[in-house]
Amino acid sequence: MLQIGLKDIIDILLVATLLYYVWRLMKESSSANLFTGILIFLVGWILVSRVFEMRLLGSIMNSLVSIGMLALVVLFQDEIRQFFATLGSKRSTRFLQRFFKQHAGEKLQEERRAALMPVVLACMSMSKQKVGALIVIERGIGLNEVVQTGDLINANITQRLIENIFFKNSPLHDGAMVISGTRIKAAGCILPVSHDADIPKSLGLRHRAALGIAQKSDCIAIIVSEETGGISMAYDGQLHLRLTAEQLESTLQEQWEA
């Protein structure tokens, strides 16, 4: 008779949580269908090999499974990298940081609050003038690879500097600005573009680039549309459109300090 104990229940819950987290990660990177297909194959392999004990078909599927791990690494190398980067990110170990560096953490939050308003005011000003902009704010996962694609600035965050960088005649206005900590790290950076089919066709390359980097890291991306002046944000793999000034400030404060 099958007996299920507390340890078995915890084991099942942990596996279910892991599968859900991996599925959500795949969904954000438009690989959900591929992941679902692999799960269906694994269920079929268990039924054929273990339940029905079909030797011929089971041996074929066993051979496929034996080389499947290498194929999975090739297929999902970006997702696997993001998974482990998220586990080791500052957000995942924040309780340790607060334990050892409580005073430093409070000081950093105060500096972020002071740097928040110049970003909001610059976005509102560029929105009124219909100046296109793309600002990426680094959180737990580092963006050094993105920074290296642009021009290093390493300057204090000010409204005037942000508006000058995205001025239409500026050589850096077409790329993305990266903010790390409380500094403008670089500008004119190149971002990965999302190929999510759910993105409205009316949205341009800036929105796709913002969603692309938000799907590959835990950053915050702010977009100012050059056509409409609308302000949008991308974070946690989701795109949030048509934000007001109040929504931009409150969401940015909540997500930046999270």
Side-chain angles (χ1 to χ4, degrees):
M1 184 177 178
L2 181 62
Q3 295 181 348
I4 299 178
L6 179 61
K7 184 172 67 174
D8 299 314
I9 295 175
I10 295 175
D11 188 21
I12 293 172
L13 289 176
L14 289 174
V15 171
T17 303
L18 179 62
L19 288 176
Y20 171 75
Y21 181 80
V22 173
W23 176 81
R24 195 178 70 173
L25 186 66
M26 296 299 174
K27 184 180 178 181
E28 292 175 357
S29 63
S30 303
S31 301
N33 291 338
L34 186 58
F35 179 67
T36 303
I38 293 173
L39 285 182
I40 293 174
F41 175 82
L42 290 177
V43 171
W45 169 62
I46 294 173
L47 290 175
V48 168
S49 301
R50 304 297 175 87
V51 179
F52 299 111
E53 296 183 353
M54 298 179 181
R55 296 183 179 180
L56 180 58
L57 185 57
S59 62
I60 296 174
M61 297 184 75
N62 287 337
S63 301
L64 292 175
V65 170
S66 63
I67 63 173
M69 292 304 297
L70 180 60
L72 288 178
V73 172
V74 174
L75 287 174
F76 298 116
Q77 54 181 333
D78 292 336
E79 287 78 7
I80 292 172
R81 180 179 180 182
Q82 182 183 350
F83 174 77
F84 286 108
T86 303
L87 287 180
S89 67
K90 297 176 183 176
R91 298 181 71 190
S92 301
T93 58
R94 185 152 295 174
F95 69 97
L96 292 176
Q97 295 178 7
R98 287 177 178 175
F99 181 78
F100 290 109
K101 298 181 179 180
Q102 183 174 0
H103 178 70
E106 292 176 355
K107 183 178 180 181
L108 179 60
Q109 284 195 348
E110 292 178 1
E111 292 176 350
R112 284 177 175 172
R113 292 191 189 102
L116 184 145
M117 285 312 299
V119 175
V120 174
L121 294 175
C123 289
M124 296 308 302
S125 176
M126 292 185 292
S127 174
K128 292 179 181 178
Q129 303 174 50
K130 292 187 177 180
V131 175
L134 178 53
I135 302 172
V136 178
I137 300 175
E138 180 185 88
R139 289 200 283 184
I141 299 176
L143 299 174
N144 287 335
E145 292 182 1
V146 174
V147 168
Q148 291 173 4
T149 65
D151 294 313
L152 293 177
I153 295 179
N154 196 24
N156 292 326
I157 302 174
T158 64
Q159 178 183 352
R160 182 177 298 179
L161 178 57
I162 295 174
E163 293 185 34
N164 283 337
I165 288 175
F166 290 110
F167 183 67
K168 293 182 179 180
N169 292 331
S170 169
L172 300 176
H173 81 282
D174 276 335
M177 172 191 294
V178 176
I179 293 177
S180 178
T182 57
R183 307 277 289 179
I184 298 177
K185 193 72 173 180
C189 300
I190 301 173
L191 303 182
V193 178
S194 173
H195 298 286
D196 196 330
D198 295 331
I199 301 177
K201 295 182 179 179
S202 59
L203 300 180
L205 189 60
R206 281 193 179 92
H207 291 81
R208 289 189 173 274
L211 184 58
I213 192 64
Q215 289 174 339
K216 290 184 176 296
S217 72
D218 64 345
C219 70
I220 307 167
I222 306 172
I223 315 102
V224 180
S225 173
E226 191 172 355
E227 289 75 21
T228 65
I231 298 176
S232 305
M233 289 182 68
Y235 56 89
D236 294 337
Q238 300 292 327
L239 195 59
H240 305 267
L241 304 174
R242 295 179 291 275
L243 301 178
T244 64
E246 292 77 13
Q247 290 173 330
L248 173 64
E249 181 179 355
S250 61
T251 305
L252 187 58
Q253 183 173 0
E254 177 185 352
Q255 296 298 322
W256 199 349
E257 297 178 3

PDB file of all heavy atoms in Angstrom, residues 39-68:
ATOM      1  N   LEU A  39       8.071  18.717 -21.289  1.00  0.00           N
ATOM      2  CA  LEU A  39       7.352  18.074 -20.185  1.00  0.00           C
ATOM      3  C   LEU A  39       6.465  16.939 -20.686  1.00  0.00           C
ATOM      4  O   LEU A  39       6.401  15.869 -20.063  1.00  0.00           O
ATOM      5  CB  LEU A  39       6.505  19.115 -19.445  1.00  0.00           C
ATOM      6  CG  LEU A  39       7.243  20.090 -18.513  1.00  0.00           C
ATOM      7  CD1 LEU A  39       6.247  21.017 -17.839  1.00  0.00           C
ATOM      8  CD2 LEU A  39       8.055  19.345 -17.473  1.00  0.00           C
ATOM      9  N   ILE A  40       5.791  17.158 -21.809  1.00  0.00           N
ATOM     10  CA  ILE A  40       4.942  16.106 -22.383  1.00  0.00           C
ATOM     11  C   ILE A  40       5.789  14.893 -22.769  1.00  0.00           C
ATOM     12  O   ILE A  40       5.414  13.739 -22.532  1.00  0.00           O
ATOM     13  CB  ILE A  40       4.162  16.651 -23.591  1.00  0.00           C
ATOM     14  CG1 ILE A  40       3.151  17.707 -23.131  1.00  0.00           C
ATOM     15  CG2 ILE A  40       3.446  15.520 -24.338  1.00  0.00           C
ATOM     16  CD1 ILE A  40       2.445  18.408 -24.272  1.00  0.00           C
ATOM     17  N   PHE A  41       6.964  15.154 -23.355  1.00  0.00           N
ATOM     18  CA  PHE A  41       7.860  14.052 -23.729  1.00  0.00           C
ATOM     19  C   PHE A  41       8.315  13.274 -22.503  1.00  0.00           C
ATOM     20  O   PHE A  41       8.364  12.039 -22.513  1.00  0.00           O
ATOM     21  CB  PHE A  41       9.068  14.601 -24.486  1.00  0.00           C
ATOM     22  CG  PHE A  41      10.094  13.556 -24.813  1.00  0.00           C
ATOM     23  CD1 PHE A  41       9.935  12.730 -25.919  1.00  0.00           C
ATOM     24  CD2 PHE A  41      11.220  13.386 -24.013  1.00  0.00           C
ATOM     25  CE1 PHE A  41      10.869  11.752 -26.218  1.00  0.00           C
ATOM     26  CE2 PHE A  41      12.165  12.423 -24.307  1.00  0.00           C
ATOM     27  CZ  PHE A  41      11.984  11.595 -25.420  1.00  0.00           C
ATOM     28  N   LEU A  42       8.644  13.990 -21.416  1.00  0.00           N
ATOM     29  CA  LEU A  42       9.104  13.321 -20.199  1.00  0.00           C
ATOM     30  C   LEU A  42       7.999  12.465 -19.578  1.00  0.00           C
ATOM     31  O   LEU A  42       8.253  11.355 -19.102  1.00  0.00           O
ATOM     32  CB  LEU A  42       9.600  14.355 -19.193  1.00  0.00           C
ATOM     33  CG  LEU A  42      10.912  15.077 -19.542  1.00  0.00           C
ATOM     34  CD1 LEU A  42      11.242  16.126 -18.507  1.00  0.00           C
ATOM     35  CD2 LEU A  42      12.059  14.078 -19.676  1.00  0.00           C
ATOM     36  N   VAL A  43       6.775  12.993 -19.588  1.00  0.00           N
ATOM     37  CA  VAL A  43       5.647  12.207 -19.062  1.00  0.00           C
ATOM     38  C   VAL A  43       5.443  10.950 -19.907  1.00  0.00           C
ATOM     39  O   VAL A  43       5.234   9.842 -19.385  1.00  0.00           O
ATOM     40  CB  VAL A  43       4.368  13.062 -19.022  1.00  0.00           C
ATOM     41  CG1 VAL A  43       3.153  12.201 -18.682  1.00  0.00           C
ATOM     42  CG2 VAL A  43       4.506  14.186 -18.003  1.00  0.00           C
ATOM     43  N   GLY A  44       5.522  11.115 -21.241  1.00  0.00           N
ATOM     44  CA  GLY A  44       5.396   9.952 -22.119  1.00  0.00           C
ATOM     45  C   GLY A  44       6.504   8.946 -21.907  1.00  0.00           C
ATOM     46  O   GLY A  44       6.264   7.721 -21.926  1.00  0.00           O
ATOM     47  N   TRP A  45       7.720   9.442 -21.666  1.00  0.00           N
ATOM     48  CA  TRP A  45       8.863   8.541 -21.425  1.00  0.00           C
ATOM     49  C   TRP A  45       8.661   7.730 -20.138  1.00  0.00           C
ATOM     50  O   TRP A  45       8.931   6.531 -20.098  1.00  0.00           O
ATOM     51  CB  TRP A  45      10.143   9.368 -21.341  1.00  0.00           C
ATOM     52  CG  TRP A  45      11.325   8.606 -20.838  1.00  0.00           C
ATOM     53  CD1 TRP A  45      11.915   7.523 -21.417  1.00  0.00           C
ATOM     54  CD2 TRP A  45      12.055   8.861 -19.624  1.00  0.00           C
ATOM     55  NE1 TRP A  45      12.973   7.089 -20.655  1.00  0.00           N
ATOM     56  CE2 TRP A  45      13.083   7.889 -19.553  1.00  0.00           C
ATOM     57  CE3 TRP A  45      11.953   9.806 -18.617  1.00  0.00           C
ATOM     58  CZ2 TRP A  45      13.993   7.859 -18.497  1.00  0.00           C
ATOM     59  CZ3 TRP A  45      12.853   9.775 -17.563  1.00  0.00           C
ATOM     60  CH2 TRP A  45      13.852   8.806 -17.508  1.00  0.00           C
ATOM     61  N   ILE A  46       8.147   8.384 -19.076  1.00  0.00           N
ATOM     62  CA  ILE A  46       7.893   7.676 -17.826  1.00  0.00           C
ATOM     63  C   ILE A  46       6.806   6.618 -18.008  1.00  0.00           C
ATOM     64  O   ILE A  46       6.933   5.488 -17.515  1.00  0.00           O
ATOM     65  CB  ILE A  46       7.496   8.683 -16.722  1.00  0.00           C
ATOM     66  CG1 ILE A  46       8.689   9.593 -16.392  1.00  0.00           C
ATOM     67  CG2 ILE A  46       7.024   7.952 -15.472  1.00  0.00           C
ATOM     68  CD1 ILE A  46       8.350  10.715 -15.437  1.00  0.00           C
ATOM     69  N   LEU A  47       5.751   6.966 -18.737  1.00  0.00           N
ATOM     70  CA  LEU A  47       4.673   5.999 -18.964  1.00  0.00           C
ATOM     71  C   LEU A  47       5.155   4.793 -19.773  1.00  0.00           C
ATOM     72  O   LEU A  47       4.842   3.643 -19.450  1.00  0.00           O
ATOM     73  CB  LEU A  47       3.510   6.688 -19.689  1.00  0.00           C
ATOM     74  CG  LEU A  47       2.716   7.724 -18.874  1.00  0.00           C
ATOM     75  CD1 LEU A  47       1.694   8.408 -19.760  1.00  0.00           C
ATOM     76  CD2 LEU A  47       2.054   7.072 -17.670  1.00  0.00           C
ATOM     77  N   VAL A  48       5.928   5.072 -20.840  1.00  0.00           N
ATOM     78  CA  VAL A  48       6.392   3.990 -21.708  1.00  0.00           C
ATOM     79  C   VAL A  48       7.411   3.108 -20.999  1.00  0.00           C
ATOM     80  O   VAL A  48       7.342   1.868 -21.069  1.00  0.00           O
ATOM     81  CB  VAL A  48       6.986   4.570 -23.010  1.00  0.00           C
ATOM     82  CG1 VAL A  48       7.730   3.499 -23.795  1.00  0.00           C
ATOM     83  CG2 VAL A  48       5.877   5.163 -23.868  1.00  0.00           C
ATOM     84  N   SER A  49       8.367   3.712 -20.306  1.00  0.00           N
ATOM     85  CA  SER A  49       9.470   2.941 -19.718  1.00  0.00           C
ATOM     86  C   SER A  49       9.129   2.319 -18.380  1.00  0.00           C
ATOM     87  O   SER A  49       9.520   1.174 -18.107  1.00  0.00           O
ATOM     88  CB  SER A  49      10.705   3.843 -19.559  1.00  0.00           C
ATOM     89  OG  SER A  49      11.110   4.372 -20.801  1.00  0.00           O
ATOM     90  N   ARG A  50       8.408   3.033 -17.536  1.00  0.00           N
ATOM     91  CA  ARG A  50       8.195   2.574 -16.173  1.00  0.00           C
ATOM     92  C   ARG A  50       6.811   1.953 -15.947  1.00  0.00           C
ATOM     93  O   ARG A  50       6.693   0.983 -15.192  1.00  0.00           O
ATOM     94  CB  ARG A  50       8.387   3.747 -15.203  1.00  0.00           C
ATOM     95  CG  ARG A  50       9.739   4.433 -15.332  1.00  0.00           C
ATOM     96  CD  ARG A  50      10.880   3.488 -14.988  1.00  0.00           C
ATOM     97  NE  ARG A  50      12.166   4.098 -15.227  1.00  0.00           N
ATOM     98  CZ  ARG A  50      12.823   4.852 -14.357  1.00  0.00           C
ATOM     99  NH1 ARG A  50      12.269   5.080 -13.177  1.00  0.00           N
ATOM    100  NH2 ARG A  50      13.992   5.359 -14.647  1.00  0.00           N
ATOM    101  N   VAL A  51       5.790   2.512 -16.565  1.00  0.00           N
ATOM    102  CA  VAL A  51       4.430   2.025 -16.305  1.00  0.00           C
ATOM    103  C   VAL A  51       4.071   0.857 -17.217  1.00  0.00           C
ATOM    104  O   VAL A  51       3.729  -0.241 -16.759  1.00  0.00           O
ATOM    105  CB  VAL A  51       3.409   3.175 -16.461  1.00  0.00           C
ATOM    106  CG1 VAL A  51       1.986   2.646 -16.223  1.00  0.00           C
ATOM    107  CG2 VAL A  51       3.727   4.309 -15.480  1.00  0.00           C
ATOM    108  N   PHE A  52       4.160   1.095 -18.551  1.00  0.00           N
ATOM    109  CA  PHE A  52       3.766   0.061 -19.512  1.00  0.00           C
ATOM    110  C   PHE A  52       4.921  -0.876 -19.890  1.00  0.00           C
ATOM    111  O   PHE A  52       4.683  -1.921 -20.504  1.00  0.00           O
ATOM    112  CB  PHE A  52       3.197   0.717 -20.773  1.00  0.00           C
ATOM    113  CG  PHE A  52       1.973   1.562 -20.515  1.00  0.00           C
ATOM    114  CD1 PHE A  52       2.034   2.935 -20.648  1.00  0.00           C
ATOM    115  CD2 PHE A  52       0.787   0.979 -20.112  1.00  0.00           C
ATOM    116  CE1 PHE A  52       0.915   3.715 -20.405  1.00  0.00           C
ATOM    117  CE2 PHE A  52      -0.335   1.751 -19.874  1.00  0.00           C
ATOM    118  CZ  PHE A  52      -0.279   3.130 -20.010  1.00  0.00           C
ATOM    119  N   GLU A  53       6.162  -0.478 -19.556  1.00  0.00           N
ATOM    120  CA  GLU A  53       7.359  -1.290 -19.795  1.00  0.00           C
ATOM    121  C   GLU A  53       7.454  -1.758 -21.255  1.00  0.00           C
ATOM    122  O   GLU A  53       7.634  -2.936 -21.550  1.00  0.00           O
ATOM    123  CB  GLU A  53       7.383  -2.500 -18.851  1.00  0.00           C
ATOM    124  CG  GLU A  53       7.490  -2.106 -17.390  1.00  0.00           C
ATOM    125  CD  GLU A  53       7.576  -3.304 -16.474  1.00  0.00           C
ATOM    126  OE1 GLU A  53       7.423  -4.443 -16.975  1.00  0.00           O
ATOM    127  OE2 GLU A  53       7.792  -3.111 -15.253  1.00  0.00           O
ATOM    128  N   MET A  54       7.303  -0.825 -22.183  1.00  0.00           N
ATOM    129  CA  MET A  54       7.481  -1.117 -23.611  1.00  0.00           C
ATOM    130  C   MET A  54       8.976  -1.074 -23.913  1.00  0.00           C
ATOM    131  O   MET A  54       9.581   0.005 -23.919  1.00  0.00           O
ATOM    132  CB  MET A  54       6.717  -0.096 -24.456  1.00  0.00           C
ATOM    133  CG  MET A  54       5.221  -0.109 -24.219  1.00  0.00           C
ATOM    134  SD  MET A  54       4.374   1.138 -25.238  1.00  0.00           S
ATOM    135  CE  MET A  54       2.678   0.899 -24.731  1.00  0.00           C
ATOM    136  N   ARG A  55       9.587  -2.200 -24.163  1.00  0.00           N
ATOM    137  CA  ARG A  55      11.049  -2.289 -24.252  1.00  0.00           C
ATOM    138  C   ARG A  55      11.615  -1.573 -25.467  1.00  0.00           C
ATOM    139  O   ARG A  55      12.585  -0.823 -25.355  1.00  0.00           O
ATOM    140  CB  ARG A  55      11.464  -3.761 -24.270  1.00  0.00           C
ATOM    141  CG  ARG A  55      11.127  -4.510 -22.986  1.00  0.00           C
ATOM    142  CD  ARG A  55      11.624  -5.935 -23.032  1.00  0.00           C
ATOM    143  NE  ARG A  55      11.309  -6.636 -21.786  1.00  0.00           N
ATOM    144  CZ  ARG A  55      11.630  -7.904 -21.560  1.00  0.00           C
ATOM    145  NH1 ARG A  55      12.256  -8.614 -22.503  1.00  0.00           N
ATOM    146  NH2 ARG A  55      11.314  -8.458 -20.408  1.00  0.00           N
ATOM    147  N   LEU A  56      11.038  -1.809 -26.643  1.00  0.00           N
ATOM    148  CA  LEU A  56      11.601  -1.224 -27.855  1.00  0.00           C
ATOM    149  C   LEU A  56      11.457   0.296 -27.853  1.00  0.00           C
ATOM    150  O   LEU A  56      12.441   1.029 -28.011  1.00  0.00           O
ATOM    151  CB  LEU A  56      10.925  -1.819 -29.094  1.00  0.00           C
ATOM    152  CG  LEU A  56      11.431  -1.292 -30.447  1.00  0.00           C
ATOM    153  CD1 LEU A  56      12.927  -1.553 -30.582  1.00  0.00           C
ATOM    154  CD2 LEU A  56      10.663  -1.932 -31.593  1.00  0.00           C
ATOM    155  N   LEU A  57      10.208   0.759 -27.682  1.00  0.00           N
ATOM    156  CA  LEU A  57       9.986   2.209 -27.646  1.00  0.00           C
ATOM    157  C   LEU A  57      10.684   2.839 -26.452  1.00  0.00           C
ATOM    158  O   LEU A  57      11.220   3.955 -26.542  1.00  0.00           O
ATOM    159  CB  LEU A  57       8.480   2.504 -27.610  1.00  0.00           C
ATOM    160  CG  LEU A  57       8.057   3.977 -27.685  1.00  0.00           C
ATOM    161  CD1 LEU A  57       8.614   4.628 -28.947  1.00  0.00           C
ATOM    162  CD2 LEU A  57       6.544   4.103 -27.634  1.00  0.00           C
ATOM    163  N   GLY A  58      10.707   2.111 -25.340  1.00  0.00           N
ATOM    164  CA  GLY A  58      11.377   2.630 -24.155  1.00  0.00           C
ATOM    165  C   GLY A  58      12.868   2.796 -24.352  1.00  0.00           C
ATOM    166  O   GLY A  58      13.459   3.768 -23.894  1.00  0.00           O
ATOM    167  N   SER A  59      13.502   1.833 -25.051  1.00  0.00           N
ATOM    168  CA  SER A  59      14.944   1.944 -25.301  1.00  0.00           C
ATOM    169  C   SER A  59      15.261   3.124 -26.204  1.00  0.00           C
ATOM    170  O   SER A  59      16.276   3.807 -26.020  1.00  0.00           O
ATOM    171  CB  SER A  59      15.463   0.648 -25.917  1.00  0.00           C
ATOM    172  OG  SER A  59      14.834   0.407 -27.170  1.00  0.00           O
ATOM    173  N   ILE A  60      14.384   3.388 -27.185  1.00  0.00           N
ATOM    174  CA  ILE A  60      14.588   4.555 -28.064  1.00  0.00           C
ATOM    175  C   ILE A  60      14.478   5.849 -27.278  1.00  0.00           C
ATOM    176  O   ILE A  60      15.312   6.761 -27.416  1.00  0.00           O
ATOM    177  CB  ILE A  60      13.573   4.524 -29.227  1.00  0.00           C
ATOM    178  CG1 ILE A  60      13.818   3.308 -30.119  1.00  0.00           C
ATOM    179  CG2 ILE A  60      13.666   5.802 -30.046  1.00  0.00           C
ATOM    180  CD1 ILE A  60      12.776   3.121 -31.199  1.00  0.00           C
ATOM    181  N   MET A  61      13.455   5.923 -26.448  1.00  0.00           N
ATOM    182  CA  MET A  61      13.263   7.147 -25.660  1.00  0.00           C
ATOM    183  C   MET A  61      14.357   7.303 -24.611  1.00  0.00           C
ATOM    184  O   MET A  61      14.762   8.436 -24.293  1.00  0.00           O
ATOM    185  CB  MET A  61      11.882   7.122 -25.006  1.00  0.00           C
ATOM    186  CG  MET A  61      10.731   7.118 -26.014  1.00  0.00           C
ATOM    187  SD  MET A  61       9.092   7.203 -25.261  1.00  0.00           S
ATOM    188  CE  MET A  61       9.027   8.920 -24.793  1.00  0.00           C
ATOM    189  N   ASN A  62      14.857   6.185 -24.066  1.00  0.00           N
ATOM    190  CA  ASN A  62      15.967   6.260 -23.116  1.00  0.00           C
ATOM    191  C   ASN A  62      17.216   6.851 -23.761  1.00  0.00           C
ATOM    192  O   ASN A  62      17.954   7.625 -23.145  1.00  0.00           O
ATOM    193  CB  ASN A  62      16.288   4.876 -22.565  1.00  0.00           C
ATOM    194  CG  ASN A  62      15.230   4.382 -21.591  1.00  0.00           C
ATOM    195  OD1 ASN A  62      14.507   5.186 -21.013  1.00  0.00           O
ATOM    196  ND2 ASN A  62      15.141   3.075 -21.411  1.00  0.00           N
ATOM    197  N   SER A  63      17.455   6.465 -25.032  1.00  0.00           N
ATOM    198  CA  SER A  63      18.607   7.012 -25.760  1.00  0.00           C
ATOM    199  C   SER A  63      18.453   8.511 -25.977  1.00  0.00           C
ATOM    200  O   SER A  63      19.424   9.269 -25.865  1.00  0.00           O
ATOM    201  CB  SER A  63      18.756   6.294 -27.107  1.00  0.00           C
ATOM    202  OG  SER A  63      18.943   4.906 -26.923  1.00  0.00           O
ATOM    203  N   LEU A  64      17.219   8.935 -26.276  1.00  0.00           N
ATOM    204  CA  LEU A  64      16.974  10.364 -26.475  1.00  0.00           C
ATOM    205  C   LEU A  64      17.160  11.140 -25.177  1.00  0.00           C
ATOM    206  O   LEU A  64      17.716  12.235 -25.166  1.00  0.00           O
ATOM    207  CB  LEU A  64      15.561  10.584 -27.022  1.00  0.00           C
ATOM    208  CG  LEU A  64      15.295  10.083 -28.443  1.00  0.00           C
ATOM    209  CD1 LEU A  64      13.824  10.269 -28.806  1.00  0.00           C
ATOM    210  CD2 LEU A  64      16.177  10.818 -29.445  1.00  0.00           C
ATOM    211  N   VAL A  65      16.705  10.545 -24.064  1.00  0.00           N
ATOM    212  CA  VAL A  65      16.839  11.219 -22.772  1.00  0.00           C
ATOM    213  C   VAL A  65      18.300  11.329 -22.361  1.00  0.00           C
ATOM    214  O   VAL A  65      18.728  12.331 -21.774  1.00  0.00           O
ATOM    215  CB  VAL A  65      16.018  10.470 -21.697  1.00  0.00           C
ATOM    216  CG1 VAL A  65      16.327  11.008 -20.301  1.00  0.00           C
ATOM    217  CG2 VAL A  65      14.533  10.586 -21.994  1.00  0.00           C
ATOM    218  N   SER A  66      19.100  10.300 -22.687  1.00  0.00           N
ATOM    219  CA  SER A  66      20.509  10.298 -22.287  1.00  0.00           C
ATOM    220  C   SER A  66      21.296  11.434 -22.932  1.00  0.00           C
ATOM    221  O   SER A  66      22.235  11.955 -22.336  1.00  0.00           O
ATOM    222  CB  SER A  66      21.152   8.951 -22.642  1.00  0.00           C
ATOM    223  OG  SER A  66      21.132   8.737 -24.043  1.00  0.00           O
ATOM    224  N   ILE A  67      20.916  11.811 -24.151  1.00  0.00           N
ATOM    225  CA  ILE A  67      21.601  12.935 -24.812  1.00  0.00           C
ATOM    226  C   ILE A  67      20.792  14.226 -24.687  1.00  0.00           C
ATOM    227  O   ILE A  67      21.198  15.274 -25.179  1.00  0.00           O
ATOM    228  CB  ILE A  67      21.847  12.632 -26.305  1.00  0.00           C
ATOM    229  CG1 ILE A  67      20.514  12.454 -27.048  1.00  0.00           C
ATOM    230  CG2 ILE A  67      22.723  11.408 -26.462  1.00  0.00           C
ATOM    231  CD1 ILE A  67      20.684  12.328 -28.551  1.00  0.00           C
ATOM    232  N   GLY A  68      19.646  14.104 -24.017  1.00  0.00           N
ATOM    233  CA  GLY A  68      18.760  15.265 -23.914  1.00  0.00           C
ATOM    234  C   GLY A  68      19.312  16.380 -23.065  1.00  0.00           C
ATOM    235  O   GLY A  68      19.038  17.554 -23.330  1.00  0.00           O
TER     236      GLY A  68
END
